[in-house]
Amino acid sequence: MLLANFNDSTTCNHVQPRATTYSIQEVRNNLRQAVVLVIVGVLRQVALIAINYEFSADEYGRDWNFFFTLAAVKMLSSLVLCCVPFGVRQPWVFSVLVSVAYELLLVKYKFKEFLEKGTGLNYEHNRGLINANREGIFSSFGMLAIYFAGLQLGLFVFQTRANLRENTKFFVKNCVVACVFWAITYYLHVHLEVSSRCFGNLTYVVWSVAHNLTLINVAFVVEIICFVLSCYSGEERDKGALLYDFDKTLVIPGGCQSCFKRNKDEKRCSCLVFAISSNQLLYFILGNLMTGLVNSMVQAHGLDTMKALVILVSYMITNTGIISYLFHRQIRLKL
């Protein structure tokens, strides 16, 4: 859910470098997407009850799930960005304000005790809509802070970089920023409180930013390696000579003609990247359905390493295979 939330904010349209305002039409689109997420969340809850699927109420609450959280983040972020125009270009301000204010509420005003124990007597702590779903409802503020942080990262990532030299500089800067966030995470973990997804506290927000920055760096390393290896050619490859120029346009191998026709920039990229990007929500839903199917068919506890590995590989091949087939058939789920 963290990756889905962060990825949605990083790649949404209004954080592209050309965006300067947030229109009413974009608010309507996001609200429409939020309604779809709520419907999916309701269907998920109904399905869990119908098949008597075992799940932990300690993570999101009795009646809440991650689709409701995503919907809440969509609606809240849309309203904030529409009412405060400068937020489109400086979303980090809202990320800091929301995360710090929520952390003060948790620590200084002892709101954390309510999230841990609820209100009333022990046997009443799950009574009432808010009481029974307090973890999911109020952790949405932490997810909102993460969403705004993702918007800011999107503004940084989608800056125009024409060649390998500029991309290398971006990678170095990103590594420095990631190290700073990991250092802050460690400090908060030791001196404030440990990271908690159930609470969505400040430590969790900072950790999520550091985690996703690290993932972006790893992906970037893979792309740069692919680019450098693609520069070996012909007789020079046998001599061990590396043919590349730091001012050369960064072109990633691994694409196909179908990808070339759809990519307006005419840059090569992995087909799987295009496939997942074109159906992000469907891929997310498919992953959840597959997870539930595996959990209902296999007892995860006690599985040996080889069986677990076979299940994981089969799981990924199935998910990516379906989403890749839909991509090449030009089938896209539009909200």
Side-chain angles (χ1 to χ4, degrees), residues 87-313:
V88 177
R89 306 309 304 167
Q90 302 293 337
W92 67 270
V93 175
F94 294 109
S95 180
V96 173
L97 290 176
V98 172
S99 57
V100 172
Y102 182 58
E103 184 65 25
L104 288 174
L105 186 64
L106 287 174
V107 178
K108 186 174 182 180
Y109 296 98
K110 299 182 179 181
F111 192 69
K112 184 178 178 180
E113 294 183 5
F114 163 69
L115 295 181
E116 290 178 334
K117 302 176 182 178
T119 58
L121 301 176
N122 290 335
Y123 60 88
E124 295 178 331
H125 75 285
N126 276 335
R127 290 187 176 181
L129 181 63
I130 296 179
N131 225 12
N133 302 287
R134 57 190 183 277
E135 299 93 341
I137 294 174
F138 294 103
S139 65
S140 297
F141 291 104
M143 292 298 173
L144 179 63
I146 293 172
Y147 185 88
F148 284 129
L151 295 183
Q152 187 64 56
L153 181 59
L155 292 174
F156 179 55
V157 169
F158 288 106
Q159 292 178 359
T160 302
R161 293 179 295 275
N163 51 53
L164 180 59
R165 185 186 300 276
E166 294 181 4
N167 279 278
T168 303
K169 290 181 180 179
F170 163 79
F171 170 70
V172 173
K173 290 179 182 179
N174 214 28
C175 285
V176 173
V177 175
C179 290
V180 170
F181 272 95
W182 279 118
I184 297 175
T185 300
Y186 175 78
Y187 179 85
L188 294 175
H189 181 84
V190 174
H191 298 283
L192 185 60
E193 61 177 343
V194 298
S195 173
S196 171
R197 199 230 58 80
C198 291
F199 301 153
N201 56 10
L202 179 61
T203 308
Y204 179 74
V205 172
V206 177
W207 170 83
S208 67
V209 176
H211 173 72
N212 283 281
L213 281 170
T214 303
L215 291 180
I216 291 175
N217 288 336
V218 172
F220 224 80
V221 168
V222 173
E223 290 192 350
I224 291 177
I225 291 175
C226 290
F227 168 71
V228 172
L229 292 179
S230 69
C231 294
Y232 282 99
S233 61
E235 297 178 356
E236 299 298 329
R237 180 186 303 174
D238 299 330
K239 298 178 182 178
L242 183 60
L243 301 178
Y244 72 92
D245 182 358
F246 270 103
D247 294 323
K248 185 177 179 181
T249 301
L250 182 61
V251 181
I252 307 303
C256 65
Q257 292 300 321
S258 177
C259 297
F260 296 158
K261 294 178 182 178
R262 301 174 194 216
N263 191 359
K264 297 179 180 179
D265 296 330
E266 297 182 355
K267 294 181 180 179
R268 302 181 69 183
C269 187
S270 169
C271 296
L272 186 58
V273 172
F274 278 123
I276 296 176
S277 296
S278 63
N279 269 310
Q280 294 185 40
L281 179 59
L282 181 60
Y283 184 70
F284 182 57
I285 295 175
L286 181 62
N288 280 277
L289 291 175
M290 291 295 297
T291 300
L293 181 63
V294 171
N295 289 338
S296 62
M297 296 177 61
V298 179
Q299 291 294 332
H301 299 289
L303 274 180
D304 60 71
T305 304
M306 185 54 65
K307 289 182 179 180
L309 182 61
V310 170
I311 292 174
L312 286 174
V313 172

Side-chain angles (χ1 to χ4, degrees), residues 262 278-279 282 323 325-333:
R262 301 174 194 216
S278 63
N279 269 310
L282 181 60
I323 212 71
Y325 173 79
L326 294 177
F327 171 70
H328 287 287
R329 298 292 295 180
Q330 300 186 19
I331 300 175
R332 182 178 181 180
L333 175 64

